[in-house]
């Protein structure tokens, strides 16, 4: 969630989007190339539908995810955009959801907890809207 004035009226508006930085069910360390310590980007081999609360995206996607390191570095997005994803639910209803589309990630050493992408957010305690 963020506050932005990047619109034609230059008005402050609250924006939100769903951020999926890494898939939970994949061990990304297995995709690190031999002799390397990091894989800054991970991407599934085949496009797949996205799901939210039992609802499925109308289109298939092949998103990029931030990778991981086996040393003290952490990988975070540094270039992304927002896309609209249309979902269909089993009961016949549907909705559109804004999602972060990662374009590039950066792995660096300034990590409190390696591979904990949310560790740096504690600097912003008291400001729950600072999540982007």
């Amino acid at each position: 969630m963020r506050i932005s004035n990047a619109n034609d009226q230059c008005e402050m508006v609250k924006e939100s989007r769903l951020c999926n930085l890494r898939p939970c069910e994949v061990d990304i360390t297995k995709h690190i190339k031999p002799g390397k310590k990091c894989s800054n980007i991970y991407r599934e081999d085949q496009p797949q539908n996205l799901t939210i609360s039992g609802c499925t995206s109308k289109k298939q996607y092949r998103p990029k995810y931030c990778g991981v390191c086996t040393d003290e570095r952490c990988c975070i997005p540094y270039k992304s955009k927002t896309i609209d994803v249309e979902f269909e639910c089993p009961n016949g209803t549907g909705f559109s959801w804004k999602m972060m589309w990662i374009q590039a990630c950066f792995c660096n050493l300034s990590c409190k907890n390696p591979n904990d992408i949310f560790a740096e957010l504690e600097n912003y305690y008291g400001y729950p809207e600072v999540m982007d």
Side-chain angles (χ1 to χ4, degrees):
M1 190 170 281
R2 69 180 177 185
I3 307 295
S4 173
N5 68 341
N7 57 61
D8 292 340
Q9 296 78 31
C10 198
E11 293 178 0
M12 300 297 273
V13 293
K14 187 184 272 190
E15 301 174 338
S16 63
R17 66 181 179 178
L18 183 63
C19 302
N20 187 8
L21 302 180
R22 285 192 197 102
C24 298
E25 64 281 354
V26 178
D27 182 1
I28 299 174
T29 58
K30 292 180 180 177
H31 299 275
I32 296 175
K33 294 178 182 171
K36 300 289 184 179
K37 294 183 179 183
C38 288
S39 174
N40 66 333
I41 290 284
Y42 170 75
R43 196 173 205 183
E44 296 283 348
D45 292 331
Q46 298 296 321
Q48 57 191 15
N49 291 91
L50 305 175
T51 58
I52 298 177
S53 301
C55 302
T56 306
S57 63
K58 290 182 178 181
K59 290 175 34 182
Q60 291 190 327
Y61 295 88
R62 194 169 166 245
K64 290 180 183 176
Y65 299 100
C66 287
V68 295
C69 297
T70 57
D71 57 13
E72 296 299 309
R73 290 178 284 178
C74 58
C75 302
I76 57 173
Y78 80 88
K79 187 173 182 184
S80 67
K81 64 181 181 179
T82 301
I83 63 169
D84 287 311
V85 178
E86 297 284 330
F87 289 89
E88 293 179 310
C89 302
N91 65 1
T93 62
F95 60 92
S96 178
W97 202 268
K98 293 189 181 304
M99 298 188 73
M100 178 172 73
W101 189 260
I102 295 172
Q103 295 171 297
C105 294
F106 176 71
C107 304
N108 64 44
L109 287 168
S110 62
C111 310
K112 291 184 179 181
N113 299 314
N115 294 311
D116 179 358
I117 57 174
F118 299 110
E120 299 302 315
L121 292 180
E122 70 185 49
N123 295 334
Y124 303 106
Y125 63 93
Y127 297 96
E129 67 274 8
V130 181
M131 296 292 286
D132 195 359

mmCIF file of all heavy atoms in Angstrom, residues 40-70:
data_model
loop_
_atom_site.group_PDB
_atom_site.id
_atom_site.type_symbol
_atom_site.label_atom_id
_atom_site.label_comp_id
_atom_site.label_asym_id
_atom_site.label_seq_id
_atom_site.Cartn_x
_atom_site.Cartn_y
_atom_site.Cartn_z
ATOM 1 N N ASN A 40 19.218 -14.185 -8.628
ATOM 2 C CA ASN A 40 18.450 -12.984 -8.310
ATOM 3 C C ASN A 40 17.009 -13.036 -8.809
ATOM 4 O O ASN A 40 16.139 -12.402 -8.260
ATOM 5 C CB ASN A 40 19.156 -11.725 -8.814
ATOM 6 C CG ASN A 40 19.240 -11.655 -10.317
ATOM 7 O OD1 ASN A 40 19.249 -12.678 -11.001
ATOM 8 N ND2 ASN A 40 19.313 -10.451 -10.835
ATOM 9 N N ILE A 41 16.748 -13.835 -9.859
ATOM 10 C CA ILE A 41 15.392 -13.963 -10.409
ATOM 11 C C ILE A 41 15.046 -15.435 -10.540
ATOM 12 O O ILE A 41 15.877 -16.247 -10.930
ATOM 13 C CB ILE A 41 15.311 -13.306 -11.819
ATOM 14 C CG1 ILE A 41 15.423 -11.790 -11.740
ATOM 15 C CG2 ILE A 41 14.042 -13.702 -12.548
ATOM 16 C CD1 ILE A 41 14.185 -11.077 -11.256
ATOM 17 N N TYR A 42 13.807 -15.762 -10.199
ATOM 18 C CA TYR A 42 13.296 -17.115 -10.427
ATOM 19 C C TYR A 42 12.031 -16.992 -11.261
ATOM 20 O O TYR A 42 11.217 -16.102 -11.036
ATOM 21 C CB TYR A 42 12.979 -17.826 -9.114
ATOM 22 C CG TYR A 42 12.233 -19.119 -9.340
ATOM 23 C CD1 TYR A 42 12.888 -20.244 -9.812
ATOM 24 C CD2 TYR A 42 10.869 -19.190 -9.126
ATOM 25 C CE1 TYR A 42 12.199 -21.420 -10.059
ATOM 26 C CE2 TYR A 42 10.170 -20.357 -9.369
ATOM 27 C CZ TYR A 42 10.850 -21.471 -9.834
ATOM 28 O OH TYR A 42 10.161 -22.626 -10.091
ATOM 29 N N ARG A 43 11.871 -17.890 -12.221
ATOM 30 C CA ARG A 43 10.686 -17.881 -13.071
ATOM 31 C C ARG A 43 10.300 -19.327 -13.378
ATOM 32 O O ARG A 43 11.152 -20.144 -13.713
ATOM 33 C CB ARG A 43 11.007 -17.136 -14.356
ATOM 34 C CG ARG A 43 9.813 -16.731 -15.155
ATOM 35 C CD ARG A 43 10.257 -15.861 -16.300
ATOM 36 N NE ARG A 43 9.149 -15.009 -16.703
ATOM 37 C CZ ARG A 43 9.197 -14.171 -17.708
ATOM 38 N NH1 ARG A 43 10.299 -14.040 -18.411
ATOM 39 N NH2 ARG A 43 8.148 -13.449 -18.007
ATOM 40 N N GLU A 44 9.009 -19.628 -13.280
ATOM 41 C CA GLU A 44 8.514 -20.968 -13.618
ATOM 42 C C GLU A 44 8.771 -21.249 -15.095
ATOM 43 O O GLU A 44 8.794 -20.335 -15.915
ATOM 44 C CB GLU A 44 7.013 -21.063 -13.339
ATOM 45 C CG GLU A 44 6.626 -20.909 -11.884
ATOM 46 C CD GLU A 44 6.890 -22.161 -11.064
ATOM 47 O OE1 GLU A 44 7.173 -23.236 -11.641
ATOM 48 O OE2 GLU A 44 6.819 -22.067 -9.836
ATOM 49 N N ASP A 45 8.935 -22.515 -15.437
ATOM 50 C CA ASP A 45 9.171 -22.899 -16.831
ATOM 51 C C ASP A 45 7.939 -22.693 -17.705
ATOM 52 O O ASP A 45 8.043 -22.320 -18.862
ATOM 53 C CB ASP A 45 9.607 -24.363 -16.915
ATOM 54 C CG ASP A 45 10.989 -24.583 -16.300
ATOM 55 O OD1 ASP A 45 11.808 -23.645 -16.329
ATOM 56 O OD2 ASP A 45 11.235 -25.689 -15.798
ATOM 57 N N GLN A 46 6.759 -22.943 -17.143
ATOM 58 C CA GLN A 46 5.515 -22.871 -17.911
ATOM 59 C C GLN A 46 4.573 -21.819 -17.311
ATOM 60 O O GLN A 46 4.550 -21.647 -16.099
ATOM 61 C CB GLN A 46 4.808 -24.230 -17.898
ATOM 62 C CG GLN A 46 5.605 -25.350 -18.542
ATOM 63 C CD GLN A 46 5.827 -25.128 -20.024
ATOM 64 O OE1 GLN A 46 4.935 -24.654 -20.729
ATOM 65 N NE2 GLN A 46 7.028 -25.423 -20.508
ATOM 66 N N PRO A 47 3.775 -21.159 -18.144
ATOM 67 C CA PRO A 47 2.760 -20.232 -17.608
ATOM 68 C C PRO A 47 1.742 -20.992 -16.768
ATOM 69 O O PRO A 47 1.498 -22.184 -17.001
ATOM 70 C CB PRO A 47 2.092 -19.665 -18.865
ATOM 71 C CG PRO A 47 2.982 -19.998 -19.991
ATOM 72 C CD PRO A 47 3.768 -21.209 -19.596
ATOM 73 N N GLN A 48 1.180 -20.310 -15.788
ATOM 74 C CA GLN A 48 0.175 -20.937 -14.932
ATOM 75 C C GLN A 48 -0.843 -19.896 -14.495
ATOM 76 O O GLN A 48 -0.598 -18.706 -14.567
ATOM 77 C CB GLN A 48 0.829 -21.597 -13.728
ATOM 78 C CG GLN A 48 1.659 -20.647 -12.885
ATOM 79 C CD GLN A 48 2.501 -21.376 -11.860
ATOM 80 O OE1 GLN A 48 2.701 -22.574 -11.935
ATOM 81 N NE2 GLN A 48 2.989 -20.640 -10.890
ATOM 82 N N ASN A 49 -1.996 -20.388 -14.041
ATOM 83 C CA ASN A 49 -3.017 -19.491 -13.515
ATOM 84 C C ASN A 49 -2.639 -19.065 -12.111
ATOM 85 O O ASN A 49 -2.081 -19.847 -11.339
ATOM 86 C CB ASN A 49 -4.377 -20.190 -13.490
ATOM 87 C CG ASN A 49 -4.897 -20.425 -14.888
ATOM 88 O OD1 ASN A 49 -4.647 -21.470 -15.471
ATOM 89 N ND2 ASN A 49 -5.604 -19.457 -15.436
ATOM 90 N N LEU A 50 -2.955 -17.824 -11.769
ATOM 91 C CA LEU A 50 -2.771 -17.316 -10.411
ATOM 92 C C LEU A 50 -4.053 -17.597 -9.636
ATOM 93 O O LEU A 50 -5.139 -17.630 -10.219
ATOM 94 C CB LEU A 50 -2.481 -15.820 -10.453
ATOM 95 C CG LEU A 50 -1.296 -15.396 -11.330
ATOM 96 C CD1 LEU A 50 -1.189 -13.875 -11.378
ATOM 97 C CD2 LEU A 50 -0.001 -16.007 -10.825
ATOM 98 N N THR A 51 -3.945 -17.796 -8.328
ATOM 99 C CA THR A 51 -5.135 -18.048 -7.513
ATOM 100 C C THR A 51 -5.149 -17.147 -6.286
ATOM 101 O O THR A 51 -4.109 -16.849 -5.710
ATOM 102 C CB THR A 51 -5.214 -19.519 -7.047
ATOM 103 O OG1 THR A 51 -4.035 -19.832 -6.296
ATOM 104 C CG2 THR A 51 -5.317 -20.477 -8.215
ATOM 105 N N ILE A 52 -6.353 -16.717 -5.942
ATOM 106 C CA ILE A 52 -6.603 -15.969 -4.703
ATOM 107 C C ILE A 52 -7.892 -16.520 -4.107
ATOM 108 O O ILE A 52 -8.942 -16.475 -4.757
ATOM 109 C CB ILE A 52 -6.771 -14.449 -4.945
ATOM 110 C CG1 ILE A 52 -5.505 -13.831 -5.525
ATOM 111 C CG2 ILE A 52 -7.155 -13.735 -3.661
ATOM 112 C CD1 ILE A 52 -5.641 -12.354 -5.849
ATOM 113 N N SER A 53 -7.817 -17.038 -2.915
ATOM 114 C CA SER A 53 -9.004 -17.509 -2.184
ATOM 115 C C SER A 53 -9.907 -18.416 -3.024
ATOM 116 O O SER A 53 -11.117 -18.261 -3.038
ATOM 117 C CB SER A 53 -9.815 -16.320 -1.658
ATOM 118 O OG SER A 53 -9.033 -15.531 -0.813
ATOM 119 N N GLY A 54 -9.314 -19.339 -3.752
ATOM 120 C CA GLY A 54 -10.084 -20.281 -4.541
ATOM 121 C C GLY A 54 -10.505 -19.779 -5.902
ATOM 122 O O GLY A 54 -11.065 -20.525 -6.702
ATOM 123 N N CYS A 55 -10.252 -18.509 -6.208
ATOM 124 C CA CYS A 55 -10.579 -17.947 -7.514
ATOM 125 C C CYS A 55 -9.330 -18.008 -8.396
ATOM 126 O O CYS A 55 -8.212 -17.869 -7.908
ATOM 127 C CB CYS A 55 -11.060 -16.507 -7.372
ATOM 128 S SG CYS A 55 -12.519 -16.362 -6.291
ATOM 129 N N THR A 56 -9.539 -18.197 -9.694
ATOM 130 C CA THR A 56 -8.435 -18.434 -10.629
ATOM 131 C C THR A 56 -8.388 -17.333 -11.680
ATOM 132 O O THR A 56 -9.423 -16.875 -12.164
ATOM 133 C CB THR A 56 -8.644 -19.797 -11.328
ATOM 134 O OG1 THR A 56 -8.798 -20.798 -10.324
ATOM 135 C CG2 THR A 56 -7.464 -20.156 -12.195
ATOM 136 N N SER A 57 -7.168 -16.935 -12.044
ATOM 137 C CA SER A 57 -7.017 -15.910 -13.083
ATOM 138 C C SER A 57 -7.551 -16.424 -14.409
ATOM 139 O O SER A 57 -7.439 -17.608 -14.729
ATOM 140 C CB SER A 57 -5.543 -15.492 -13.227
ATOM 141 O OG SER A 57 -4.747 -16.580 -13.640
ATOM 142 N N LYS A 58 -8.151 -15.512 -15.183
ATOM 143 C CA LYS A 58 -8.700 -15.876 -16.485
ATOM 144 C C LYS A 58 -7.592 -16.232 -17.476
ATOM 145 O O LYS A 58 -7.772 -17.071 -18.338
ATOM 146 C CB LYS A 58 -9.545 -14.738 -17.057
ATOM 147 C CG LYS A 58 -10.849 -14.510 -16.321
ATOM 148 C CD LYS A 58 -11.642 -13.400 -16.990
ATOM 149 C CE LYS A 58 -12.980 -13.188 -16.311
ATOM 150 N NZ LYS A 58 -13.763 -12.126 -16.971
ATOM 151 N N LYS A 59 -6.439 -15.572 -17.327
ATOM 152 C CA LYS A 59 -5.288 -15.826 -18.194
ATOM 153 C C LYS A 59 -4.201 -16.557 -17.409
ATOM 154 O O LYS A 59 -4.173 -16.512 -16.184
ATOM 155 C CB LYS A 59 -4.705 -14.502 -18.708
ATOM 156 C CG LYS A 59 -5.567 -13.769 -19.692
ATOM 157 C CD LYS A 59 -5.010 -12.402 -20.086
ATOM 158 C CE LYS A 59 -3.510 -12.291 -20.139
ATOM 159 N NZ LYS A 59 -3.024 -10.943 -20.470
ATOM 160 N N GLN A 60 -3.294 -17.191 -18.139
ATOM 161 C CA GLN A 60 -2.124 -17.781 -17.508
ATOM 162 C C GLN A 60 -0.981 -16.766 -17.546
ATOM 163 O O GLN A 60 -0.884 -15.961 -18.476
ATOM 164 C CB GLN A 60 -1.718 -19.060 -18.226
ATOM 165 C CG GLN A 60 -2.707 -20.186 -18.035
ATOM 166 C CD GLN A 60 -2.157 -21.496 -18.563
ATOM 167 O OE1 GLN A 60 -1.420 -21.531 -19.537
ATOM 168 N NE2 GLN A 60 -2.538 -22.583 -17.911
ATOM 169 N N TYR A 61 -0.133 -16.813 -16.535
ATOM 170 C CA TYR A 61 0.979 -15.883 -16.404
ATOM 171 C C TYR A 61 2.268 -16.647 -16.113
ATOM 172 O O TYR A 61 2.232 -17.759 -15.604
ATOM 173 C CB TYR A 61 0.717 -14.890 -15.260
ATOM 174 C CG TYR A 61 -0.454 -13.974 -15.515
ATOM 175 C CD1 TYR A 61 -1.743 -14.344 -15.150
ATOM 176 C CD2 TYR A 61 -0.267 -12.742 -16.135
ATOM 177 C CE1 TYR A 61 -2.822 -13.494 -15.383
ATOM 178 C CE2 TYR A 61 -1.338 -11.900 -16.375
ATOM 179 C CZ TYR A 61 -2.603 -12.282 -16.000
ATOM 180 O OH TYR A 61 -3.664 -11.447 -16.234
ATOM 181 N N ARG A 62 3.370 -15.998 -16.424
ATOM 182 C CA ARG A 62 4.692 -16.546 -16.097
ATOM 183 C C ARG A 62 5.485 -15.442 -15.378
ATOM 184 O O ARG A 62 6.398 -14.836 -15.939
ATOM 185 C CB ARG A 62 5.391 -16.991 -17.376
ATOM 186 C CG ARG A 62 6.592 -17.851 -17.124
ATOM 187 C CD ARG A 62 7.098 -18.494 -18.414
ATOM 188 N NE ARG A 62 8.421 -19.019 -18.158
ATOM 189 C CZ ARG A 62 9.517 -18.582 -18.738
ATOM 190 N NH1 ARG A 62 9.466 -17.635 -19.649
ATOM 191 N NH2 ARG A 62 10.690 -19.100 -18.429
ATOM 192 N N PRO A 63 5.123 -15.174 -14.116
ATOM 193 C CA PRO A 63 5.758 -14.056 -13.409
ATOM 194 C C PRO A 63 7.197 -14.336 -13.023
ATOM 195 O O PRO A 63 7.615 -15.489 -12.908
ATOM 196 C CB PRO A 63 4.894 -13.897 -12.157
ATOM 197 C CG PRO A 63 4.295 -15.239 -11.943
ATOM 198 C CD PRO A 63 4.130 -15.847 -13.302
ATOM 199 N N LYS A 64 7.937 -13.256 -12.833
ATOM 200 C CA LYS A 64 9.283 -13.337 -12.270
ATOM 201 C C LYS A 64 9.148 -13.169 -10.765
ATOM 202 O O LYS A 64 8.303 -12.400 -10.287
ATOM 203 C CB LYS A 64 10.177 -12.221 -12.802
ATOM 204 C CG LYS A 64 10.557 -12.369 -14.249
ATOM 205 C CD LYS A 64 11.436 -11.198 -14.670
ATOM 206 C CE LYS A 64 11.787 -11.282 -16.139
ATOM 207 N NZ LYS A 64 12.552 -10.110 -16.579
ATOM 208 N N TYR A 65 9.994 -13.872 -10.018
ATOM 209 C CA TYR A 65 10.039 -13.756 -8.565
ATOM 210 C C TYR A 65 11.466 -13.401 -8.163
ATOM 211 O O TYR A 65 12.419 -13.733 -8.868
ATOM 212 C CB TYR A 65 9.664 -15.075 -7.895
ATOM 213 C CG TYR A 65 8.274 -15.560 -8.196
ATOM 214 C CD1 TYR A 65 8.043 -16.551 -9.139
ATOM 215 C CD2 TYR A 65 7.177 -15.022 -7.534
ATOM 216 C CE1 TYR A 65 6.765 -17.000 -9.406
ATOM 217 C CE2 TYR A 65 5.889 -15.469 -7.805
ATOM 218 C CZ TYR A 65 5.694 -16.454 -8.741
ATOM 219 O OH TYR A 65 4.423 -16.894 -9.004
ATOM 220 N N CYS A 66 11.613 -12.748 -7.023
ATOM 221 C CA CYS A 66 12.952 -12.494 -6.510
ATOM 222 C C CYS A 66 13.544 -13.811 -6.024
ATOM 223 O O CYS A 66 12.858 -14.636 -5.420
ATOM 224 C CB CYS A 66 12.918 -11.482 -5.370
ATOM 225 S SG CYS A 66 12.608 -9.810 -5.955
ATOM 226 N N GLY A 67 14.824 -13.983 -6.302
ATOM 227 C CA GLY A 67 15.510 -15.217 -5.939
ATOM 228 C C GLY A 67 16.058 -15.193 -4.526
ATOM 229 O O GLY A 67 15.607 -14.421 -3.673
ATOM 230 N N VAL A 68 17.047 -16.040 -4.289
ATOM 231 C CA VAL A 68 17.664 -16.183 -2.974
ATOM 232 C C VAL A 68 19.170 -16.330 -3.126
ATOM 233 O O VAL A 68 19.673 -16.582 -4.219
ATOM 234 C CB VAL A 68 17.112 -17.410 -2.206
ATOM 235 C CG1 VAL A 68 15.650 -17.239 -1.892
ATOM 236 C CG2 VAL A 68 17.361 -18.688 -2.981
ATOM 237 N N CYS A 69 19.866 -16.193 -2.003
ATOM 238 C CA CYS A 69 21.313 -16.390 -1.951
ATOM 239 C C CYS A 69 21.627 -17.399 -0.850
ATOM 240 O O CYS A 69 20.861 -17.533 0.107
ATOM 241 C CB CYS A 69 22.028 -15.081 -1.645
ATOM 242 S SG CYS A 69 21.810 -13.822 -2.913
ATOM 243 N N THR A 70 22.754 -18.071 -0.989
ATOM 244 C CA THR A 70 23.188 -19.007 0.051
ATOM 245 C C THR A 70 24.174 -18.344 1.009
ATOM 246 O O THR A 70 24.607 -18.965 1.963
ATOM 247 C CB THR A 70 23.834 -20.257 -0.575
ATOM 248 O OG1 THR A 70 24.925 -19.850 -1.413
ATOM 249 C CG2 THR A 70 22.814 -21.038 -1.393
#
